[in-house]
Amino acid sequence: MRNRERNARREGWEGQSMEKPIHVLHVLGGVSLGGAESRIMDLYRQMDREEIQFDFLVHQSDVSVRKSEFYDEEIHAMGGHIYVLPKFKVYNYFAYRKAVKAFFASHREFRVVQGHMTSTAGIYLPIAKRAGVPVAVAHARNAGVVKGLKGLATRFFRRGLAKKADYCFACSHLAGQDVFGEAAMKAGQVKIIYNAIDVGRFTYDESAHQEARAQLGLSGELVLGHVGRFQYQKNHPYLLEVFAAVREKRKDAVLLLLGDGEDRHAMEEKCRQLGIDGSVRFMGNRKDAERFYQAMDFFLLPSFFEGLPGVLVEAQAAGLRCLVSDTVTKEAKATDLVTYLSIEEPPARWAEEIIRQADYARRDTAQELREAGFDVRTQAQGYRRFYLGEDDACIGSGAAQ
Protein backbone atom coordinates (compact mmCIF):
# COMPACT_ATOMS: atom_id res chain seq x y z
CA MET A 1 0.00 0.00 0.00
CA ARG A 2 1.41 3.38 -0.96
CA ASN A 3 2.20 5.74 1.92
CA ARG A 4 0.12 8.45 0.28
CA GLU A 5 -2.89 6.15 0.20
CA ARG A 6 -2.39 4.94 3.75
CA ASN A 7 -1.97 8.45 5.12
CA ALA A 8 -4.89 9.80 3.11
CA ARG A 9 -7.13 7.08 4.45
CA ARG A 10 -5.99 7.52 8.05
CA GLU A 11 -6.30 11.31 7.90
CA GLY A 12 -9.62 11.02 6.09
CA TRP A 13 -11.28 8.88 8.71
CA GLU A 14 -9.82 10.69 11.70
CA GLY A 15 -12.03 13.54 12.77
CA GLN A 16 -14.98 12.17 10.81
CA SER A 17 -18.16 11.06 12.51
CA MET A 18 -18.57 7.28 12.29
CA GLU A 19 -22.30 7.30 12.78
CA LYS A 20 -23.85 4.26 11.19
CA PRO A 21 -24.80 3.41 8.64
CA ILE A 22 -21.85 4.90 6.83
CA HIS A 23 -22.62 5.81 3.22
CA VAL A 24 -20.66 4.56 0.21
CA LEU A 25 -21.40 6.36 -3.07
CA HIS A 26 -21.02 4.30 -6.27
CA VAL A 27 -20.64 6.41 -9.42
CA LEU A 28 -21.94 4.78 -12.61
CA GLY A 29 -23.44 5.62 -15.97
CA GLY A 30 -26.74 4.17 -14.76
CA VAL A 31 -28.27 1.31 -12.80
CA SER A 32 -29.54 -0.74 -15.71
CA LEU A 33 -28.77 -4.44 -16.05
CA GLY A 34 -25.05 -4.46 -16.83
CA GLY A 35 -21.94 -6.23 -15.62
CA ALA A 36 -20.63 -3.62 -13.17
CA GLU A 37 -24.12 -2.85 -11.92
CA SER A 38 -24.90 -6.52 -11.30
CA ARG A 39 -21.66 -7.09 -9.39
CA ILE A 40 -22.28 -4.03 -7.20
CA MET A 41 -25.81 -5.20 -6.49
CA ASP A 42 -24.52 -8.68 -5.59
CA LEU A 43 -22.23 -6.99 -3.07
CA TYR A 44 -24.96 -4.64 -1.83
CA ARG A 45 -27.23 -7.57 -0.97
CA GLN A 46 -24.54 -9.00 1.29
CA MET A 47 -24.05 -5.81 3.33
CA ASP A 48 -25.53 -5.23 6.78
CA ARG A 49 -27.38 -2.08 5.80
CA GLU A 50 -27.60 -0.89 9.38
CA GLU A 51 -23.82 -0.69 9.20
CA ILE A 52 -23.05 0.19 5.55
CA GLN A 53 -25.44 1.74 3.05
CA PHE A 54 -24.85 2.07 -0.69
CA ASP A 55 -26.02 5.10 -2.67
CA PHE A 56 -25.68 5.67 -6.41
CA LEU A 57 -24.72 8.64 -8.58
CA VAL A 58 -25.75 8.10 -12.21
CA HIS A 59 -25.60 10.13 -15.42
CA GLN A 60 -28.22 11.08 -17.97
CA SER A 61 -28.79 13.71 -20.63
CA ASP A 62 -31.83 15.32 -19.01
CA VAL A 63 -31.43 15.50 -15.24
CA SER A 64 -34.91 16.93 -14.77
CA VAL A 65 -36.69 13.77 -15.91
CA ARG A 66 -35.26 10.39 -15.01
CA LYS A 67 -36.79 7.15 -16.20
CA SER A 68 -36.71 4.20 -13.83
CA GLU A 69 -33.97 1.66 -14.58
CA PHE A 70 -33.62 -2.06 -13.93
CA TYR A 71 -32.28 -1.85 -10.36
CA ASP A 72 -34.19 1.23 -9.14
CA GLU A 73 -36.86 -0.64 -7.23
CA GLU A 74 -34.43 -2.94 -5.45
CA ILE A 75 -32.08 -0.09 -4.52
CA HIS A 76 -34.90 1.92 -2.99
CA ALA A 77 -36.22 -1.16 -1.18
CA MET A 78 -32.81 -1.62 0.46
CA GLY A 79 -32.70 2.01 1.57
CA GLY A 80 -30.35 3.37 -1.09
CA HIS A 81 -30.64 6.69 -2.86
CA ILE A 82 -30.10 7.39 -6.56
CA TYR A 83 -28.76 10.81 -7.53
CA VAL A 84 -28.30 12.20 -11.03
CA LEU A 85 -25.59 14.18 -12.82
CA PRO A 86 -25.72 15.47 -16.41
CA LYS A 87 -24.19 13.11 -18.92
CA PHE A 88 -20.64 14.16 -19.76
CA LYS A 89 -20.28 15.05 -23.47
CA VAL A 90 -16.85 16.77 -23.50
CA TYR A 91 -18.27 20.07 -24.79
CA ASN A 92 -20.09 20.49 -21.45
CA TYR A 93 -16.88 20.04 -19.45
CA PHE A 94 -17.30 23.20 -17.36
CA ALA A 95 -21.02 22.62 -16.80
CA TYR A 96 -20.26 19.05 -15.71
CA ARG A 97 -17.61 20.19 -13.22
CA LYS A 98 -20.03 22.76 -11.85
CA ALA A 99 -22.73 20.10 -11.37
CA VAL A 100 -20.27 17.78 -9.62
CA LYS A 101 -19.12 20.56 -7.28
CA ALA A 102 -22.70 21.47 -6.44
CA PHE A 103 -23.55 17.86 -5.70
CA PHE A 104 -20.70 17.23 -3.26
CA ALA A 105 -21.18 20.63 -1.66
CA SER A 106 -24.72 19.64 -0.71
CA HIS A 107 -23.99 15.98 0.15
CA ARG A 108 -21.53 15.63 3.01
CA GLU A 109 -22.66 12.19 4.17
CA PHE A 110 -20.38 10.02 2.06
CA ARG A 111 -17.36 8.32 3.61
CA VAL A 112 -16.25 6.54 0.43
CA VAL A 113 -16.79 7.45 -3.22
CA GLN A 114 -16.16 4.49 -5.53
CA GLY A 115 -15.99 5.53 -9.17
CA HIS A 116 -16.77 2.73 -11.58
CA MET A 117 -17.26 5.24 -14.40
CA THR A 118 -13.56 5.80 -15.01
CA SER A 119 -14.03 7.91 -18.14
CA THR A 120 -14.76 10.93 -15.91
CA ALA A 121 -13.37 9.75 -12.57
CA GLY A 122 -10.44 12.09 -13.09
CA ILE A 123 -12.96 14.93 -12.80
CA TYR A 124 -15.34 13.88 -10.04
CA LEU A 125 -12.96 12.10 -7.64
CA PRO A 126 -10.68 15.12 -7.01
CA ILE A 127 -13.75 17.31 -6.52
CA ALA A 128 -15.16 14.82 -4.02
CA LYS A 129 -11.86 14.83 -2.10
CA ARG A 130 -11.76 18.63 -1.97
CA ALA A 131 -15.34 18.59 -0.69
CA GLY A 132 -14.23 16.46 2.26
CA VAL A 133 -14.94 12.87 1.21
CA PRO A 134 -12.36 10.82 3.15
CA VAL A 135 -11.68 8.06 0.60
CA ALA A 136 -11.81 8.16 -3.21
CA VAL A 137 -11.62 4.91 -5.16
CA ALA A 138 -11.23 4.52 -8.93
CA HIS A 139 -12.47 1.09 -10.00
CA ALA A 140 -11.54 -0.20 -13.48
CA ARG A 141 -14.29 -2.46 -14.77
CA ASN A 142 -13.35 -2.85 -18.43
CA ALA A 143 -10.29 -3.43 -20.59
CA GLY A 144 -11.06 -1.45 -23.71
CA VAL A 145 -12.96 1.46 -25.19
CA VAL A 146 -15.30 1.88 -28.12
CA LYS A 147 -13.93 3.02 -31.44
CA GLY A 148 -13.93 6.62 -32.64
CA LEU A 149 -13.94 9.97 -30.90
CA LYS A 150 -15.72 8.67 -27.80
CA GLY A 151 -12.96 6.16 -27.17
CA LEU A 152 -10.27 8.77 -27.73
CA ALA A 153 -11.99 11.12 -25.27
CA THR A 154 -12.17 8.35 -22.68
CA ARG A 155 -8.43 7.75 -23.00
CA PHE A 156 -7.72 11.47 -22.67
CA PHE A 157 -9.75 12.01 -19.51
CA ARG A 158 -8.33 8.88 -17.86
CA ARG A 159 -4.78 10.24 -18.03
CA GLY A 160 -3.13 10.31 -14.62
CA LEU A 161 -6.13 8.74 -12.92
CA ALA A 162 -3.92 6.61 -10.65
CA LYS A 163 -2.61 9.82 -9.07
CA LYS A 164 -6.07 11.26 -8.47
CA ALA A 165 -7.50 8.42 -6.36
CA ASP A 166 -6.61 7.19 -2.88
CA TYR A 167 -7.11 3.63 -4.11
CA CYS A 168 -7.06 2.04 -7.55
CA PHE A 169 -9.08 -1.15 -7.98
CA ALA A 170 -9.36 -3.27 -11.13
CA CYS A 171 -11.35 -6.40 -11.92
CA SER A 172 -8.36 -7.89 -13.76
CA HIS A 173 -4.75 -7.13 -14.64
CA LEU A 174 -5.84 -6.34 -18.21
CA ALA A 175 -8.42 -3.81 -16.96
CA GLY A 176 -5.91 -2.28 -14.55
CA GLN A 177 -3.31 -1.81 -17.25
CA ASP A 178 -5.84 -0.39 -19.71
CA VAL A 179 -7.27 2.18 -17.29
CA PHE A 180 -4.36 3.06 -14.99
CA GLY A 181 -1.38 2.31 -17.20
CA GLU A 182 1.56 -0.04 -17.11
CA ALA A 183 3.61 2.18 -14.79
CA ALA A 184 0.91 2.16 -12.11
CA MET A 185 0.62 -1.61 -12.38
CA LYS A 186 4.37 -2.15 -12.05
CA ALA A 187 4.51 0.25 -9.10
CA GLY A 188 1.95 -1.85 -7.22
CA GLN A 189 -0.61 0.96 -7.15
CA VAL A 190 -3.47 -1.22 -8.39
CA LYS A 191 -5.34 -3.80 -6.33
CA ILE A 192 -6.94 -6.60 -8.35
CA ILE A 193 -10.43 -7.52 -7.12
CA TYR A 194 -12.22 -10.15 -9.18
CA ASN A 195 -15.85 -9.64 -10.14
CA ALA A 196 -17.42 -12.04 -7.63
CA ILE A 197 -20.90 -13.55 -7.94
CA ASP A 198 -23.44 -15.29 -5.75
CA VAL A 199 -22.13 -18.75 -6.64
CA GLY A 200 -24.97 -20.64 -5.00
CA ARG A 201 -27.55 -18.86 -7.14
CA PHE A 202 -26.11 -20.30 -10.37
CA THR A 203 -24.86 -23.73 -9.30
CA TYR A 204 -25.90 -26.47 -11.70
CA ASP A 205 -28.78 -28.70 -10.67
CA GLU A 206 -30.15 -31.42 -12.94
CA SER A 207 -33.76 -31.02 -11.82
CA ALA A 208 -33.55 -27.24 -12.32
CA HIS A 209 -32.05 -27.90 -15.77
CA GLN A 210 -34.96 -30.12 -16.79
CA GLU A 211 -37.55 -27.74 -15.32
CA ALA A 212 -36.09 -24.70 -17.09
CA ARG A 213 -36.04 -26.46 -20.45
CA ALA A 214 -39.60 -27.64 -20.01
CA GLN A 215 -40.74 -24.10 -19.22
CA LEU A 216 -39.08 -22.89 -22.42
CA GLY A 217 -40.56 -25.71 -24.48
CA LEU A 218 -37.18 -27.33 -25.02
CA SER A 219 -36.32 -31.00 -24.82
CA GLY A 220 -33.44 -32.53 -26.80
CA GLU A 221 -32.26 -29.39 -28.60
CA LEU A 222 -28.69 -28.12 -28.46
CA VAL A 223 -29.21 -24.85 -26.56
CA LEU A 224 -26.54 -22.20 -26.96
CA GLY A 225 -26.64 -19.06 -24.86
CA HIS A 226 -25.25 -15.56 -24.46
CA VAL A 227 -25.84 -12.84 -21.86
CA GLY A 228 -24.89 -9.27 -22.68
CA ARG A 229 -26.00 -5.82 -23.72
CA PHE A 230 -26.63 -5.34 -27.42
CA GLN A 231 -23.73 -3.01 -28.18
CA TYR A 232 -20.44 -3.01 -30.08
CA GLN A 233 -18.32 -4.55 -27.31
CA LYS A 234 -20.27 -7.83 -27.25
CA ASN A 235 -19.84 -8.54 -30.99
CA HIS A 236 -23.35 -9.87 -31.65
CA PRO A 237 -23.02 -9.87 -35.47
CA TYR A 238 -20.20 -12.39 -35.24
CA LEU A 239 -22.13 -14.41 -32.62
CA LEU A 240 -25.11 -14.74 -34.98
CA GLU A 241 -22.85 -15.82 -37.84
CA VAL A 242 -21.36 -18.48 -35.56
CA PHE A 243 -24.83 -19.73 -34.71
CA ALA A 244 -25.83 -19.81 -38.37
CA ALA A 245 -22.78 -22.00 -39.01
CA VAL A 246 -23.79 -24.29 -36.12
CA ARG A 247 -27.27 -24.62 -37.62
CA GLU A 248 -25.78 -25.92 -40.84
CA LYS A 249 -24.52 -28.95 -38.88
CA ARG A 250 -27.05 -29.12 -36.06
CA LYS A 251 -30.61 -28.33 -37.19
CA ASP A 252 -31.78 -28.79 -33.60
CA ALA A 253 -29.68 -25.85 -32.32
CA VAL A 254 -31.38 -22.97 -30.49
CA LEU A 255 -29.81 -19.69 -29.36
CA LEU A 256 -30.97 -17.83 -26.23
CA LEU A 257 -29.96 -14.16 -26.06
CA LEU A 258 -30.41 -12.38 -22.73
CA GLY A 259 -30.01 -8.62 -22.61
CA ASP A 260 -31.15 -5.46 -24.32
CA GLY A 261 -29.58 -2.40 -25.88
CA GLU A 262 -29.35 -0.06 -28.81
CA ASP A 263 -28.30 -2.74 -31.31
CA ARG A 264 -31.07 -5.23 -30.57
CA HIS A 265 -33.31 -4.34 -33.52
CA ALA A 266 -30.36 -4.51 -35.92
CA MET A 267 -29.56 -8.00 -34.61
CA GLU A 268 -33.17 -9.11 -35.04
CA GLU A 269 -32.92 -7.99 -38.66
CA LYS A 270 -29.61 -9.83 -39.10
CA CYS A 271 -31.27 -13.03 -37.86
CA ARG A 272 -33.86 -12.67 -40.61
CA GLN A 273 -31.13 -12.08 -43.20
CA LEU A 274 -29.26 -15.20 -42.05
CA GLY A 275 -32.45 -17.26 -42.00
CA ILE A 276 -32.07 -18.18 -38.32
CA ASP A 277 -34.82 -15.98 -36.83
CA GLY A 278 -36.97 -19.03 -36.04
CA SER A 279 -34.19 -20.49 -33.86
CA VAL A 280 -32.98 -17.38 -32.01
CA ARG A 281 -34.90 -16.23 -28.95
CA PHE A 282 -34.47 -12.66 -27.72
CA MET A 283 -35.30 -12.91 -24.02
CA GLY A 284 -34.60 -9.30 -22.97
CA ASN A 285 -33.34 -8.27 -19.54
CA ARG A 286 -34.15 -10.91 -16.93
CA LYS A 287 -34.10 -10.98 -13.15
CA ASP A 288 -34.05 -14.79 -13.29
CA ALA A 289 -30.95 -15.21 -15.45
CA GLU A 290 -29.94 -18.28 -13.43
CA ARG A 291 -32.92 -20.17 -14.87
CA PHE A 292 -31.69 -19.61 -18.41
CA TYR A 293 -28.15 -20.70 -17.58
CA GLN A 294 -29.68 -23.95 -16.31
CA ALA A 295 -31.49 -24.40 -19.63
CA MET A 296 -28.38 -23.85 -21.77
CA ASP A 297 -25.93 -26.47 -23.00
CA PHE A 298 -23.17 -24.12 -24.13
CA PHE A 299 -22.20 -20.48 -23.48
CA LEU A 300 -20.68 -18.10 -26.04
CA LEU A 301 -18.84 -14.82 -25.47
CA PRO A 302 -17.11 -13.47 -28.62
CA SER A 303 -16.50 -9.98 -27.17
CA PHE A 304 -14.03 -7.50 -28.65
CA PHE A 305 -12.89 -6.67 -25.10
CA GLU A 306 -13.87 -7.29 -21.47
CA GLY A 307 -12.56 -6.46 -18.02
CA LEU A 308 -13.49 -9.63 -16.22
CA PRO A 309 -16.94 -10.71 -17.44
CA GLY A 310 -19.20 -11.76 -14.60
CA VAL A 311 -21.43 -13.59 -17.07
CA LEU A 312 -18.55 -15.94 -17.85
CA VAL A 313 -18.14 -16.68 -14.15
CA GLU A 314 -21.90 -17.26 -13.87
CA ALA A 315 -21.81 -19.66 -16.83
CA GLN A 316 -19.00 -21.65 -15.23
CA ALA A 317 -20.92 -21.73 -11.96
CA ALA A 318 -23.77 -23.28 -13.92
CA GLY A 319 -21.40 -25.98 -15.18
CA LEU A 320 -21.51 -24.82 -18.80
CA ARG A 321 -18.81 -25.29 -21.36
CA CYS A 322 -17.85 -21.83 -22.65
CA LEU A 323 -16.29 -20.68 -25.92
CA VAL A 324 -14.77 -17.24 -25.50
CA SER A 325 -12.80 -14.79 -27.62
CA ASP A 326 -9.09 -14.73 -26.84
CA THR A 327 -9.34 -11.00 -26.12
CA VAL A 328 -11.17 -11.80 -22.88
CA THR A 329 -8.97 -11.80 -19.78
CA LYS A 330 -7.62 -15.22 -18.85
CA GLU A 331 -8.29 -14.51 -15.16
CA ALA A 332 -11.96 -15.23 -15.87
CA LYS A 333 -11.10 -18.88 -16.47
CA ALA A 334 -11.83 -20.39 -13.07
CA THR A 335 -12.44 -23.93 -14.36
CA ASP A 336 -11.45 -26.17 -17.26
CA LEU A 337 -14.81 -25.43 -18.91
CA VAL A 338 -13.50 -22.38 -20.78
CA THR A 339 -11.93 -22.50 -24.25
CA TYR A 340 -10.47 -19.39 -25.89
CA LEU A 341 -10.60 -18.85 -29.66
CA SER A 342 -9.80 -15.86 -31.84
CA ILE A 343 -12.63 -13.87 -33.40
CA GLU A 344 -10.31 -13.50 -36.39
CA GLU A 345 -11.18 -17.14 -37.12
CA PRO A 346 -14.11 -17.72 -39.51
CA PRO A 347 -17.45 -18.38 -37.76
CA ALA A 348 -17.35 -21.95 -39.09
CA ARG A 349 -14.28 -22.60 -36.92
CA TRP A 350 -16.20 -21.56 -33.81
CA ALA A 351 -19.12 -23.73 -34.91
CA GLU A 352 -16.79 -26.68 -35.34
CA GLU A 353 -15.44 -26.24 -31.81
CA ILE A 354 -18.93 -25.95 -30.31
CA ILE A 355 -20.12 -29.14 -31.99
CA ARG A 356 -16.93 -30.96 -30.99
CA GLN A 357 -17.38 -30.09 -27.31
CA ALA A 358 -21.18 -30.26 -27.13
CA ASP A 359 -21.34 -33.76 -25.61
CA TYR A 360 -20.17 -33.48 -21.99
CA ALA A 361 -21.45 -34.04 -18.47
CA ARG A 362 -22.49 -30.95 -16.49
CA ARG A 363 -21.12 -30.80 -12.95
CA ASP A 364 -21.27 -28.77 -9.75
CA THR A 365 -18.39 -26.27 -9.88
CA ALA A 366 -19.31 -24.22 -6.80
CA GLN A 367 -16.25 -25.16 -4.76
CA GLU A 368 -13.91 -24.48 -7.68
CA LEU A 369 -15.37 -20.97 -8.06
CA ARG A 370 -15.08 -20.27 -4.34
CA GLU A 371 -11.46 -21.44 -4.20
CA ALA A 372 -10.66 -19.23 -7.20
CA GLY A 373 -11.93 -16.15 -5.35
CA PHE A 374 -15.23 -15.59 -7.16
CA ASP A 375 -17.69 -15.93 -4.26
CA VAL A 376 -19.36 -12.64 -3.34
CA ARG A 377 -20.09 -13.71 0.24
CA THR A 378 -16.39 -14.03 0.97
CA GLN A 379 -15.56 -10.86 -0.95
CA ALA A 380 -18.23 -8.89 0.95
CA GLN A 381 -16.48 -9.58 4.24
CA GLY A 382 -13.33 -7.95 2.91
CA TYR A 383 -15.20 -4.99 1.48
CA ARG A 384 -16.94 -4.47 4.81
CA ARG A 385 -13.62 -4.14 6.61
CA PHE A 386 -12.31 -1.83 3.90
CA TYR A 387 -15.35 0.47 4.00
CA LEU A 388 -15.19 0.62 7.80
CA GLY A 389 -11.50 1.50 7.67
CA GLU A 390 -10.48 -1.62 9.56
CA ASP A 391 -8.14 -3.18 6.99
CA ASP A 392 -6.60 -1.87 3.76
CA ALA A 393 -5.45 -5.25 2.46
CA CYS A 394 -8.51 -7.38 3.07
CA ILE A 395 -9.91 -7.58 -0.45
CA GLY A 396 -8.62 -8.69 -3.80
CA SER A 397 -5.66 -10.78 -4.81
CA GLY A 398 -3.10 -8.20 -3.69
CA ALA A 399 -1.37 -5.41 -5.56
CA ALA A 400 -0.54 -6.07 -9.15
CA GLN A 401 3.05 -7.06 -9.78
Side-chain angles (χ1 to χ4, degrees), residues 292-346:
F292 292 88
Y293 283 113
Q294 294 291 336
M296 297 173 192
D297 295 311
F298 216 103
F299 186 79
L300 305 177
L301 192 68
S303 301
F304 286 112
F305 57 86
E306 294 280 355
L308 192 150
V311 293
L312 181 54
V313 181
E314 292 171 354
Q316 291 173 84
L320 288 168
R321 282 201 178 276
C322 308
L323 188 56
V324 183
S325 63
D326 61 4
T327 54
V328 173
T329 174
K330 304 305 183 288
E331 290 154 292
K333 183 176 180 176
T335 69
D336 62 2
L337 294 170
V338 179
T339 299
Y340 291 90
L341 194 61
S342 173
I343 52 177
E344 297 299 320
E345 295 279 357

Side-chain angles (χ1 to χ4, degrees), residues 204-341:
Y204 175 69
D205 178 83
E206 177 61 24
S207 61
H209 168 72
Q210 296 296 341
E211 181 181 353
R213 290 175 75 97
Q215 291 172 346
L216 292 168
L218 300 168
S219 54
E221 294 87 349
L222 172 62
V223 182
L224 311 183
H226 171 83
V227 181
R229 183 185 295 275
F230 284 87
Q231 60 182 19
Y232 166 80
Q233 174 186 346
K234 302 301 180 180
N235 201 11
H236 283 92
Y238 184 83
L239 171 62
L240 294 179
E241 291 172 7
V242 168
F243 179 67
V246 172
R247 284 279 300 175
E248 291 180 5
K249 302 290 185 180
R250 290 287 301 263
K251 299 299 182 183
D252 62 335
V254 174
L255 177 62
L256 302 180
L257 296 176
L258 275 68
D260 213 337
E262 59 268 25
D263 292 343
R264 174 171 172 169
H265 294 309
M267 294 307 101
E268 291 173 338
E269 177 58 30
K270 187 172 180 68
C271 285
R272 288 188 283 271
Q273 293 172 359
L274 291 170
I276 57 174
D277 49 305
S279 302
V280 180
R281 302 189 188 184
F282 290 79
M283 310 308 300
N285 288 334
R286 307 291 306 208
K287 292 185 177 181
D288 58 345
E290 66 276 11
R291 184 165 67 91
F292 292 88
Y293 283 113
Q294 294 291 336
M296 297 173 192
D297 295 311
F298 216 103
F299 186 79
L300 305 177
L301 192 68
S303 301
F304 286 112
F305 57 86
E306 294 280 355
L308 192 150
V311 293
L312 181 54
V313 181
E314 292 171 354
Q316 291 173 84
L320 288 168
R321 282 201 178 276
C322 308
L323 188 56
V324 183
S325 63
D326 61 4
T327 54
V328 173
T329 174
K330 304 305 183 288
E331 290 154 292
K333 183 176 180 176
T335 69
D336 62 2
L337 294 170
V338 179
T339 299
Y340 291 90
L341 194 61

Side-chain angles (χ1 to χ4, degrees), residues 372-388:
F374 288 104
D375 181 39
V376 74
R377 287 178 170 82
T378 301
Q379 191 178 93
Q381 296 171 12
Y383 264 113
R384 172 189 173 274
R385 292 163 62 194
F386 174 79
Y387 290 142
L388 293 175

